[in-house]
């Protein structure tokens, strides 16, 4: 027997209403109708006949339920309803009763706390007790939407305590609080979403900037690490060269001592062998003398052979090996001295190379230049002319010292610049703070805001109170100036010789600092030079 789902709707349709049977009954002629339909039909007719075959009944037939058709019609209705109902999609509320494929819920019951599809909702539309239940539009997670205290739907929002409440809550604990429907509060919060989204985007941007900052730090750290390894390798190679040179010199010293001993021994052996040869020849001559028959010849030969050939007294002669005691120690002392010198030189080379990484652009500010100074158009050179130029008065201009400041100032971090001083006989060079007195004759010392060195023929010093005399440097051509604002450090370097000149430590920089140049004699200009990285 075919199942109801394989039949069409016509097989279960009432001939009167043309809808699926509802409480089907059958007439004596065998046709099926809805109880309501056939009852209404006969109520309106004078005779009782079948609407299908027109068979006339003398009395009103007793209607009996067609149990088989009723069950099959009910199954057909259920199958049709299930087919017609949509399955639940993402974001939609599913039916809590469906066990197989979950269908989309059409209502939620606030009493049962269950959501129903159209099929499973049918008892709530038919059973008297279930009809009293409160049905609402489908809601997900119903238990979370119910007030724990009053078992009612949370459909209001308390702005005082920022919590969800039900209608009964407004008559109790929240009676004096401003309470609004959820929709109204949603509209308020919706209006705030724009600002919240902007704040979130701003936070995201800040986090991305921080990520980039961290990545840049890692890149810089890797770069520094690579440079450190390279510098270390350079230092190690230099030290290895020193050790190899020491090894070569040490071996040569020992070998020369050994060769000296060997030569002495060889010379003595050669001399001894020569004496042996001479004595051997004399012995041979003496053996032949008895064979001489001529008395005159015998006596003549005897006179020349009676005395042995001249020889050295070898009793006191000996080979004295060279002493190696102290050779290694002396050589090691020399190596230590060489290594210390080389290490000092390498430290200064590495230090200069590192500070050169902080090179900054420096151009001279004509508004600060003393009237006796002449600046190049690019602001990189300053020369002392001796003649006073007619310049407009400017509070920033030096009027006593022939100085000039840079346009750039530095308040934090590190910076480095180089100045060519070749062929310039008298000059000041360093940095000065912004508030220095530019009009009076004052000591150019750290106390007055100046950190600088002075070169004057046979005088080289750091200007302090008292002054710090510095060793004169032959052919000083270029000076490097390094400042660490955070550490309070000002250092000067002989760039060409790659040697540290002097460092002022423990400085306090409470103002912006400016590079300061001050040529005093009529000679070559002071020139701000680009930095060539030290190898």
């Amino acid at each position: 027997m075919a199942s109801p789902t394989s039949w069409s709707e016509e097989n279960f349709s009432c001939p009167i209403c043309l809808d699926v049977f509802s409480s089907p009954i059958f007439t004596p002629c065998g046709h099926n109708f809805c109880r309501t339909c056939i009852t209404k039909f006969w109520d309106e007719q004078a005779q009782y006949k079948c609407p299908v075959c027109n068979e006339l009944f003398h009395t009103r037939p007793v209607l009996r339920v067609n149990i088989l058709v009723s069950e099959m019609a009910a199954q057909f209705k259920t199958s049709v309803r299930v087919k017609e109902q949509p399955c639940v999609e993402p974001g939609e509320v599913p039916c809590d009763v469906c066990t197989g494929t979950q269908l989309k819920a059409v209502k939620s019951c606030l009493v049962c706390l269950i959501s129903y599809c159209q099929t499973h909702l049918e008892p709530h539309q038919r059973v008297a007790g279930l009809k009293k239940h409160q049905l609402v539009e489908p809601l997900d997670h119903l238990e979370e939407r119910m007030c724990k205290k009053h078992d009612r739907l949370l459909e209001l929002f308390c702005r005082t305590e920022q919590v969800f409440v039900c209608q009964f809550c407004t008559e109790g604990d929240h009676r004096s609080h401003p309470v609004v429907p959820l929709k109204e509060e949603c509209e308020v919060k919706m209006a705030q979403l724009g600002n919240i989204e902007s704040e979130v985007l701003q936070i995201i941007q800040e986090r991305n900037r921080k990520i980039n900052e961290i990545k840049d730090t890692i890149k810089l750290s890797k770069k520094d690490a690579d440079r450190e390894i390279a510098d270390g390798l350079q230092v190690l190679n230099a030290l290895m060269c020193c050790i190899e040179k020491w090894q070569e010199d040490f071996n040569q010293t020992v070998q020369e001592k050994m060769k000296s001993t060997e030569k002495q021994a060889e010379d003595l052996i050669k001399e001894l062998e020569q004496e042996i040869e001479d004595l051997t020849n004399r012995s041979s001559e003496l053996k032949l003398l008895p064979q001489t028959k001529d008395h005159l010849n015998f006596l003549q030969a005897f006179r020349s052979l009676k005395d042995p050939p001249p020889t050295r007294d070898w009793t006191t002669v000996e080979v004295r090996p060279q002493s190696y005691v102290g050779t290694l120690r002396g050589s090691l002392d020399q190596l230590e001295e060489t290594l210390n010198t080389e290490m000092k030189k390498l430290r200064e080379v590495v230090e200069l190379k590192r500070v050169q990484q902080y090179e900054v652009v420096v151009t001279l500010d004509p508004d600060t230049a003393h009237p006796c100074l002449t600046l190049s158009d690019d602001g990189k050179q300053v020369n002392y002319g001796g003649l006073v130029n007619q310049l407009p008065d400017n509070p920033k201009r030096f009027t006593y010292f022939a100085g000039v400041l840079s346009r750039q100032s530095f308040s934090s971090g590190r910076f480095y610049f180089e100045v060519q001083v070749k062929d310039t006989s008298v000059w000041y060079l360093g940095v000065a703070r912004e508030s220095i007195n530019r009009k009076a004759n004052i000591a150019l010392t750290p106390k007055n805001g100046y950190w600088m060195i002075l070169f004057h023929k046979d005088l080289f010093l750091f200007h302090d109170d008292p002054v710090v005399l510095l060793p004169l440097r032959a052919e000083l051509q270029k000076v490097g100036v390094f400042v660490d604002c955070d550490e309070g450090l000002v250092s000067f370097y002989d760039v060409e010789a790659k040697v540290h000149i002097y460092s002022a430590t423990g400085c306090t920089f409470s103002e912006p600092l400016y590079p300061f140049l001050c040529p005093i004699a009529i000679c070559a200009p002071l020139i701000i030079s680009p930095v060539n990285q030290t190898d």
Side-chain angles (χ1 to χ4, degrees):
M1 178 178 178
S3 66
T5 56
S6 64
W7 293 354
S8 67
E9 187 173 348
E10 294 178 357
N11 298 114
F12 299 99
S13 298
C14 171
I16 298 176
C17 68
L18 303 179
D19 200 355
V20 178
F21 289 119
S22 176
S23 300
I25 54 88
F26 62 93
T27 58
C29 60
H31 292 106
N32 295 288
F33 304 93
C34 296
R35 178 187 291 275
T36 303
C37 293
I38 192 61
T39 299
K40 183 178 180 182
F41 178 77
W42 282 340
D43 287 344
E44 295 174 352
Q45 300 293 326
Q47 295 178 323
Y48 305 112
K49 61 180 180 179
C50 175
V52 175
C53 63
N54 290 323
E55 180 178 347
L56 184 62
F57 307 114
H58 298 290
T59 59
R60 186 165 182 157
V62 176
L63 299 178
R64 299 181 181 277
V65 176
N66 191 328
I67 297 174
L68 177 62
V69 174
S70 178
E71 292 178 353
M72 295 183 67
Q75 292 181 33
F76 180 78
K77 279 184 179 182
T78 301
S79 64
V80 170
R81 286 173 183 168
V82 170
K83 288 181 180 179
E84 290 177 349
Q85 292 182 76
C87 294
V88 67
E89 299 291 339
E92 295 179 338
V93 180
C95 174
D96 295 325
V97 181
C98 291
T99 56
T101 301
Q102 281 192 309
L103 302 179
K104 177 182 177 181
V106 295
K107 292 291 181 181
S108 295
C109 178
L110 298 183
V111 177
C112 301
L113 298 181
I114 294 177
S115 297
Y116 298 100
C117 63
Q118 187 63 52
T119 300
H120 294 118
L121 182 65
E122 190 270 337
H124 279 73
Q125 298 171 332
R126 174 173 51 82
V127 178
L130 296 178
K131 285 183 178 181
K132 296 178 181 180
H133 290 189
Q134 183 180 357
L135 299 177
V136 296
E137 292 302 311
L139 296 173
D140 201 4
H141 305 295
L142 268 176
E143 291 185 357
E144 299 176 7
R145 296 174 177 269
M146 303 302 292
C147 176
K148 305 299 183 184
K149 184 176 182 179
H150 302 110
D151 203 24
R152 291 291 185 272
L153 185 65
L154 298 171
E155 51 188 353
L156 301 171
F157 185 79
C158 174
R159 288 180 171 173
T160 299
E161 299 187 13
Q162 295 289 301
V163 294
F164 303 107
V165 297
C166 69
Q167 188 63 46
F168 286 179
C169 292
T170 62
E171 300 173 2
D173 298 340
H174 300 268
R175 181 178 300 140
S176 59
H177 297 171
V179 175
V180 296
L182 295 181
K183 181 180 179 182
E184 182 177 336
E185 186 64 21
C186 282
E187 292 174 351
V188 173
K189 294 297 189 288
M190 191 69 69
Q192 298 174 357
L193 281 180
N195 293 334
I196 296 174
E197 184 178 1
S198 298
E199 292 177 3
V200 171
L201 291 176
Q202 183 177 354
I203 294 174
I204 292 173
Q205 291 174 355
E206 291 175 355
R207 298 306 184 269
N208 285 329
R209 281 195 295 269
K210 180 57 69 174
I211 289 174
N212 293 331
E213 180 183 328
I214 293 173
K215 288 182 177 179
D216 291 341
T217 301
I218 294 300
K219 289 181 181 178
L220 182 60
S221 178
K222 185 179 184 305
K223 184 178 178 181
D224 290 342
D226 292 341
R227 183 169 60 247
E228 191 73 13
I229 292 173
D231 291 344
L233 184 60
Q234 180 183 0
V235 171
L236 182 60
N237 288 336
L239 294 178
M240 289 297 294
C241 289
C242 288
I243 294 174
E244 289 173 359
K245 179 68 168 56
W246 169 84
Q247 179 71 50
E248 182 180 343
D249 293 343
F250 175 72
N251 291 346
Q252 184 176 352
T253 299
V254 173
Q255 288 172 0
E256 285 177 354
K257 285 188 175 185
M258 180 62 191
K259 287 179 180 178
S260 176
T261 302
E262 289 177 346
K263 187 175 186 310
Q264 180 188 6
E266 288 174 358
D267 291 343
L268 291 175
I269 290 172
K270 189 178 294 184
E271 185 177 349
L272 285 167
E273 288 176 344
Q274 183 63 49
E275 288 189 1
I276 291 172
E277 183 180 352
D278 292 343
L279 291 171
T280 301
N281 292 335
R282 177 60 58 89
S283 176
S284 298
E285 291 176 354
L286 290 173
K287 288 180 179 180
L288 293 175
L289 187 58
Q291 300 177 12
T292 303
K293 301 300 182 179
D294 187 335
H295 296 112
L296 178 62
N297 288 338
F298 176 84
L299 292 174
Q300 289 177 339
F302 181 80
R303 190 182 346 181
S304 61
L305 295 176
K306 66 177 181 176
D307 296 324
T311 58
R312 180 191 290 196
D313 182 6
W314 292 94
T315 57
T316 59
V317 176
E318 63 180 7
V319 176
R320 294 184 178 181
Q322 292 280 353
S323 173
Y324 298 102
V325 175
T327 302
L328 179 59
R329 183 182 60 197
S331 183
L332 286 174
D333 289 342
Q334 184 180 358
L335 173 62
E336 182 180 4
E337 183 179 350
T338 303
L339 288 177
N340 287 337
T341 302
E342 191 66 23
M343 282 294 294
K344 181 179 179 182
K345 184 190 303 182
L346 290 171
R347 279 197 301 266
E348 293 186 341
V349 169
V350 171
E351 180 181 344
L352 179 58
K353 185 176 181 180
R354 287 179 177 176
V355 299
Q356 284 178 329
Q357 303 295 320
Y358 299 98
E359 177 190 9
V360 293
V361 175
V362 175
T363 53
L364 300 176
D365 184 359
D367 291 339
T368 66
H370 186 277
C372 289
L373 300 180
T374 302
L375 272 60
S376 61
D377 293 338
D378 61 0
K380 296 295 184 180
Q381 301 185 27
V382 57
N383 203 350
Y384 183 82
L387 299 177
V388 178
N389 300 313
Q390 297 299 319
L391 299 174
D393 186 25
N394 191 314
K396 297 194 300 181
R397 189 180 308 284
F398 288 94
T399 56
Y400 187 86
F401 293 106
V404 60
L405 298 177
S406 67
R407 294 180 182 272
Q408 297 79 14
S409 66
F410 306 91
S411 301
S412 62
R414 306 175 180 92
F415 66 94
Y416 174 86
F417 63 96
E418 293 180 354
V419 179
Q420 179 179 308
V421 297
K422 181 181 179 182
D423 300 328
T424 306
S425 58
V426 185
W427 46 263
Y428 285 93
L429 176 60
V431 293
R433 68 186 179 208
E434 189 172 40
S435 64
I436 53 174
N437 189 330
R438 312 178 191 200
K439 309 297 183 180
N441 180 14
I442 61 172
L444 304 184
T445 62
K447 180 180 178 181
N448 294 324
Y450 293 90
W451 291 266
M452 59 191 59
I453 53 176
L454 165 65
F455 179 84
H456 189 305
K457 295 182 180 179
D458 297 331
L459 184 65
F460 195 30
L461 57 85
F462 175 75
H463 229 282
D464 204 344
D465 186 15
V467 298
V468 180
L469 293 176
L470 305 174
L472 285 170
R473 305 207 57 78
E475 299 181 0
L476 183 60
Q477 298 184 29
K478 189 181 292 186
V479 175
V481 182
F482 171 71
V483 179
D484 189 330
C485 298
D486 302 327
E487 293 295 329
L489 173 70
V490 181
S491 297
F492 301 90
Y493 299 88
D494 181 342
V495 177
E496 298 301 325
K498 302 179 180 62
V499 173
H500 170 256
I501 297 175
Y502 181 76
S503 286
T505 58
C507 307
T508 301
F509 305 127
S510 57
E511 303 175 20
L513 297 177
Y514 293 80
F516 173 85
L517 280 67
C518 181
I520 300 177
I522 301 175
C523 49
L526 295 177
I527 304 173
I528 298 172
S529 306
V531 174
N532 293 322
Q533 295 293 328
T534 299
D535 296 328

